[in-house]
Amino acid sequence: MKFRRSPKDRSRGKREEIPPSRGVFTRRALVVLATQAGVLGVLGKKLYDLQVHEGDHLRDLAARNRTSKRLLAPARGQINDRFGIQLAGNKVNWRALLMPEETTDVRATIARFGQIIALDDRDQARIARDLRHIRKYVPVALKDFLSWDDMARIELNAPSLPGVLIDVGSTRLYPYGAQLAHIVGYVAPPNERDVAASPMMALPGMRAGRAGIEQTQDTLLRGEPGSVEMEVNSRGRVMGEIDRVDGQQGDEIVLTIDAGLQQMVLNRVGDQAASVVVMDCRNGEVLAMVSTPSFDPSLFDSGVSHAQWIEWTNNVRTPLINKTVAGVYPPGSTFKPAVALAALQTGQISPQDRFNCPGYYDMGGVRFHCWSRWGHGNITMQQALMYSCDVYFYLAARKIGMEPIKTMANSFGLGTKLDIELSHIRSGVIPTPEWRQKHGHHWNGGDTVNAGIGQGFVQVTPLELATYVSRIASGRNVTPHLVRRINDRDSAHTPLDAAPDMGVDEAHLGVIRQGMYDVVNAPHGTAPKARLSIPDVYMAGKTGSAQVRRVSRALRESGHFNSMNLPWEERPHALFICFAPFDAPRYAIAVVIEHGNGGADAAAPLARDIMTDTLTRDPVNHDHVPGQAVADAD
């Protein structure tokens, strides 16, 4: 407060008090009020921005503090046979997952979990790999296939396991196990390459197809992921589920296979190392495809032990290889119809031309024997097929050369890679001089002679043989296939008239078919054991015995050679191809018995039994499992 002195008091030294100025007080109050208003305005603006402009974002952040959202692996699509019987499906798998973002110490949590539920070395390695390569918000599978006791222990110790939750997923189920393993294939946990190609594969429970239909149709079978939102507390413990959107299951794949017929074929084959293909020769549908021995495909889902892997790989009968598409064998005499067709196509040999068979053919100082020491005399093409005369086809091959033979064989499916829905397919070889030269060797006349009877460098697969005989029977360029339908979409190959004509003279095919008919049904045919016992139904076929070792001239001419006395792995392969019914071909079969010795004695009777089962069951003329009653619709 200010003071001033009055004139009267100046001499007395007193000061007079001056009252406050109203103008000064007003200015100060305004400054304070303005300051307060500004602060309140800034705060109001900030509150407005937080609530209006950033409200949704902040609400999301707040929700994230109490919720956790993750993707769910979809259920893998089913694989069914032609009648709807499940060949590959899913079963419940209870598992423990770890949400890395929900725990402050991942290593400590895993160590604590390992004290409750045992984790072996493979589990530890897999978890470490997943943690390195999977993003933090993606859960890591700690343990699959939990028992009820396992889950109880986890729940009891939940407070000390932040970020760990029990989840229900699915694992692959193969009801027919080894019976269809080579067709259906199997799945296994995805590797780093799978995850790099599709991040969805990092989700717990996702599996990648590794063989068979599981591999070739893998993308369709995977489906689309779902999601689940869970409530968690401040320690990362899951308190409950807020929302769940299930994923979209993968596509349903319906195969051409008849599971019942597949079982019948397996029962016929028994414990032999063999391969069998049964086809609808009118459209190429594969009805049965057997390769023995086989393996349990379910072991790959949870992991194959080292001991099991060694057992499989050391087995000389190769259970892991699908012999029908990856086994290559000399076709032996089953190749003779292709040579005969090539000879007819060139016009250099007619069906009536006769060649003399004295039991051998000499060329360049080398004697090539016929299987019959006594020979077959002067015979026509049809007779040569019926007797399976080697000398006739030695001479035919020498006369026309390898190029026409290769062209004809390839057009009927031999020595070509067939476009069937399987993985790890090999193709056979129809050699030519150019092929031999590419491998650094000279082609000679003896190579052509050997090729004329399906020996030497000629190699085929059982699927190629089945395709070959199907095309002979139907006269159509059928494509072998296994997928009949995907969801509601039929295969383009399914219609009976879908395959184009082979473009071969029907009269020529008639000669070959009649020769194959005589093989089975004529008095002097080589396969009387293949004759059907079904009244008025006849089968046509061709035997084959493919050598895997050379037999010397002296041993052959001694008359004491018997290949059954050789060790198993040195005996010839036994082959047989056939189709039936002869007058209206519907089914074609190729049989290869590894080291079965003789096609007429081993493969032909087996093919007869399989054809009998197939004709009796007649799957292509049924819309439901043959023999199963169908309820009338209401």
Side-chain angles (χ1 to χ4, degrees):
M1 183 173 293
K2 293 183 179 181
F3 296 88
R4 63 180 180 182
R5 294 180 181 181
S6 62
K8 186 182 295 186
D9 292 334
R10 283 178 184 171
S11 59
R12 300 177 184 177
K14 295 182 178 180
R15 295 184 296 174
E16 181 181 357
E17 184 177 343
I18 303 175
S21 171
R22 291 183 180 177
V24 172
F25 175 81
T26 301
R27 286 195 300 273
R28 288 184 177 180
L30 287 175
V31 170
V32 171
L33 288 174
T35 302
Q36 292 175 340
V39 171
L40 291 174
V42 171
L43 291 175
K45 177 64 166 59
K46 185 64 175 176
L47 289 173
Y48 179 83
D49 289 339
L50 289 174
Q51 293 189 30
V52 178
H53 295 298
E54 301 182 46
D56 292 340
H57 172 65
L58 293 174
R59 273 190 292 273
D60 289 342
L61 292 177
R64 290 178 190 176
N65 287 332
R66 68 175 187 88
T67 64
S68 176
K69 192 170 185 178
R70 63 182 178 88
L71 294 177
L72 295 173
R76 195 167 175 85
Q78 288 192 175
I79 301 174
N80 298 331
D81 86 338
R82 65 189 298 115
F83 299 120
I85 295 175
Q86 186 184 92
L87 308 182
N90 305 302
K91 64 179 179 180
V92 171
N93 169 29
W94 292 97
R95 60 198 179 189
L97 303 182
L98 171 65
M99 302 289 292
E101 64 179 355
E102 302 296 341
T103 178
T104 57
D105 192 335
V106 171
R107 292 179 180 275
T109 301
I110 294 174
R112 174 60 180 152
F113 181 88
Q115 294 172 355
I116 301 167
I117 304 295
L119 297 173
D120 58 27
D121 292 341
R122 290 171 58 190
D123 289 330
Q124 297 278 10
R126 175 185 51 77
I127 293 169
R129 183 195 66 214
D130 289 349
L131 288 171
R132 285 195 306 271
H133 298 287
I134 292 177
R135 297 175 182 177
K136 193 173 182 180
Y137 59 82
V138 176
V140 173
L142 296 179
K143 192 72 174 180
D144 281 312
F145 312 111
L146 296 175
S147 67
W148 292 110
D149 289 342
D150 292 336
M151 291 187 282
R153 289 200 299 272
I154 293 171
E155 287 294 339
L156 185 63
N157 291 273
S160 62
L161 295 172
V164 175
L165 66 140
I166 294 174
D167 182 65
V168 59
S170 63
T171 187
R172 211 58 168 153
L173 174 67
Y174 299 108
Y176 286 84
Q179 297 178 19
L180 286 155
H182 289 114
I183 302 172
V184 174
Y186 58 87
V187 296
N191 55 33
E192 296 176 17
R193 185 170 59 253
D194 297 321
V195 175
S198 174
M200 180 180 74
M201 297 302 289
L203 297 175
M206 288 299 295
R207 292 293 185 265
R210 289 288 182 255
I213 295 295
E214 291 276 30
Q215 181 176 15
T216 61
Q217 308 299 310
D218 187 40
T219 303
L220 296 176
L221 289 166
R222 287 180 187 176
E224 297 294 333
S227 63
V228 61
E229 187 175 8
M230 299 169 295
E231 183 178 5
V232 296
N233 63 16
S234 60
R235 295 186 177 183
R237 182 184 175 188
V238 175
M239 305 303 294
E241 189 175 292
I242 299 173
D243 185 41
R244 173 182 286 261
V245 178
D246 291 326
Q248 179 181 338
Q249 185 172 5
D251 290 342
E252 177 192 15
I253 308 294
V254 177
L255 302 186
T256 59
I257 292 292
D258 174 5
L261 180 61
Q262 180 86 1
Q263 288 180 302
M264 289 179 173
V265 175
L266 279 162
N267 292 337
R268 296 290 190 184
V269 172
D271 60 358
Q272 300 178 96
S275 51
V276 178
V277 179
V278 182
M279 285 177 58
D280 184 338
C281 62
R282 303 167 302 173
N283 62 3
E285 287 189 340
V286 176
L287 304 169
M289 177 181 276
V290 167
S291 176
T292 58
S294 187
F295 61 93
D296 182 357
S298 63
L299 296 179
F300 286 91
D301 195 9
S302 56
V304 176
S305 68
H306 179 70
Q308 179 64 76
W309 184 257
I310 293 299
E311 179 185 335
W312 282 338
T313 54
N314 287 345
N315 190 331
V316 295
R317 301 193 178 204
T318 59
L320 293 177
I321 294 177
N322 183 355
K323 298 178 179 69
T324 62
V325 296
V328 290
Y329 308 90
S333 294
T334 62
F335 191 64
K336 290 173 181 175
V339 177
L341 279 170
L344 293 172
Q345 186 80 359
T346 63
Q348 297 183 56
I349 299 176
S350 74
Q352 294 76 34
D353 288 344
R354 292 179 176 270
F355 292 147
N356 181 54
C357 170
Y360 58 86
Y361 170 61
D362 290 332
M363 186 188 69
V366 178
R367 174 160 290 184
F368 296 88
H369 291 84
C370 185
W371 69 268
S372 172
R373 294 173 57 202
W374 300 275
H376 297 101
N378 287 316
I379 54 175
T380 63
M381 180 178 289
Q382 186 175 317
Q383 291 174 317
L385 288 168
M386 178 181 68
Y387 295 136
S388 195
C389 176
D390 293 332
V391 170
Y392 182 98
F393 290 97
Y394 292 151
L395 296 170
R398 283 283 288 165
K399 186 168 186 177
I400 66 175
M402 280 307 300
E403 284 299 335
I405 295 174
K406 174 181 170 57
T407 300
M408 185 61 67
N410 287 164
S411 69
F412 276 79
L414 301 178
T416 60
K417 191 170 184 178
L418 298 169
D419 187 22
I420 194 169
E421 305 92 336
L422 289 175
S423 53
H424 313 301
I425 298 176
R426 294 180 64 184
S427 57
V429 174
I430 309 299
T432 61
E434 290 75 20
W435 174 87
R436 186 76 169 133
Q437 289 168 7
K438 287 180 181 178
H439 288 77
H441 300 282
H442 175 70
W443 183 272
N444 57 56
D447 295 327
T448 303
V449 168
N450 275 328
I453 61 167
Q455 292 283 173
F457 303 111
V458 182
Q459 289 188 322
V460 299
T461 68
L463 180 64
E464 290 176 7
L465 287 173
T467 304
Y468 161 60
V469 71
S470 291
R471 292 176 181 178
I472 290 174
S474 66
R476 290 184 173 275
N477 190 15
V478 296
T479 299
H481 60 285
L482 282 165
V483 175
R484 194 169 198 235
R485 189 169 64 251
I486 300 175
N487 292 334
D488 296 325
R489 304 187 304 275
D490 288 336
S491 167
H493 302 299
T494 298
L496 296 181
D497 59 352
D501 190 271
M502 284 297 299
V504 176
D505 191 323
E506 185 62 27
H508 295 170
L509 286 172
V511 173
I512 304 305
R513 292 170 187 152
Q514 188 60 48
M516 294 176 68
Y517 173 91
D518 292 343
V519 166
V520 177
N521 302 287
H524 300 291
T526 56
K529 293 181 181 179
R531 205 166 297 161
L532 297 176
S533 59
I534 303 173
D536 301 322
V537 179
Y538 299 94
M539 180 168 76
K542 186 68 194 77
T543 54
S545 298
Q547 294 178 2
V548 297
R549 57 157 283 176
R550 185 179 181 276
V551 180
S552 68
R553 175 176 176 176
L555 190 58
R556 281 187 180 277
E557 295 180 349
S558 69
H560 301 297
F561 175 70
N562 184 350
S563 57
M564 279 300 292
N565 295 328
L566 295 172
W568 177 80
E569 64 274 9
E570 294 183 9
R571 297 173 190 170
H573 299 309
L575 302 91
F576 193 76
I577 58 173
C578 57
F579 65 87
F582 176 74
D583 54 351
R586 191 158 69 248
Y587 299 109
I589 297 175
V591 174
V592 178
I593 303 175
E594 291 186 348
H595 310 293
N597 197 55
D601 293 327
L606 177 59
R608 174 203 63 208
D609 293 342
I610 294 171
M611 183 63 81
T612 300
D613 290 339
T614 304
L615 289 168
T616 303
R617 189 174 176 84
D618 202 16
V620 301
N621 285 326
H622 287 83
D623 294 326
H624 59 277
V625 178
Q628 185 180 83
V630 179
D632 293 333
D634 292 334

